[in-house]
Amino acid sequence: MLVLLPPSEGKAASGRGAPLKPESLSLPGLTPARETVLGELVELCAGDEEKAREVLGLSEGLRGEVAKNTELRTAGARPAGEIYTGVLYDALDLASLDPTAKKRAARSLLVFSGLWGAVRVTDRIPSYRCSMGVKLPGLGALGAYWRAPMAEVLPEAAGDRLVLDLRSSAYAAAWKPKGEVAGRTATVRVLHAPTRKVVSHFNKATKGRIVRSLLASGTAPEGPAELVEALRDLGYEVEAEAPAKAGKPWSLDVLVSEIH
């Protein structure tokens, strides 16, 4: 199973270890694109601070994020699973998984990023600020920029596995599974059962719990239909809609009675 995750806006501080080595990151086919985005971001943030803050969509209180971006090549790096924080990652709680589940996480989880394209949770990266919705001077919207390199690399990364797509729309824009891969893909919404309304903040927490449950249980569904059964066995209330045409993703609704 390959699980596609969004990053988090909030991030832990960079580590004190060795700095970033772009060539050491997973999915080496993305290295040239990563180097280009990294160079553009560092140059932007090393110049006019107000312009950089505007481009990155940062409030006055987040002014310090601009300076942090100027040091991305020299700052200490940590595993991405430690850098990303926030609601989904708190619920996932990678650090508390047992060793076997952590190995599954290393193989299965892929975090999308405006700066890196996509990384595994074991890839060592510095803390940064650059969302997929940013339009960098010279590159334009990052969601569009990443489509071509992602289209080259991601199908091979998916292989013949089930793809569980938990990304938000901004990150989903960077790569949309097509053809046979799309037929093995399941997207998930989290709905408040009594109202059938989409929940927002709690959507992230529920998705984090789902991923944790799958990793901890060791279940290995081969396709969307098997995923539905696996989630039901794990105690989730799931409604599934198979695609009307071949080569389209499945849509899964996870219903939650209590919003927490």
Side-chain angles (χ1 to χ4, degrees), residues 20-28 34 116 119 123-125:
L20 169 74
K21 294 182 178 180
E23 70 278 6
S24 72
L25 298 178
S26 301
L27 309 179
R34 288 168 175 152
W116 314 116
V119 292
D123 285 332
R124 297 180 64 83
I125 59 173

Side-chain angles (χ1 to χ4, degrees), residues 33 37 47 49 75 103 138 175 194 219 223:
V37 178
E49 184 181 84
K103 289 180 181 178
W175 181 60
T219 185

Side-chain angles (χ1 to χ4, degrees), residues 124-184:
R124 297 180 64 83
I125 59 173
S127 184
Y128 67 96
R129 180 65 71 124
C130 184
S131 71
M132 193 66 81
V134 164
K135 295 181 179 179
L136 286 178
L139 293 183
L142 290 176
Y145 172 81
W146 280 111
R147 284 176 198 153
M150 290 289 195
E152 291 290 327
V153 172
L154 267 294
E156 182 179 352
D160 60 359
R161 294 183 286 175
L162 162 71
V163 178
L164 175 55
D165 190 351
L166 302 178
R167 298 172 296 167
S168 56
S169 57
Y171 291 90
W175 181 60
K176 295 183 179 180
K178 295 181 179 179
E180 195 265 337
V181 178
R184 290 185 276 106

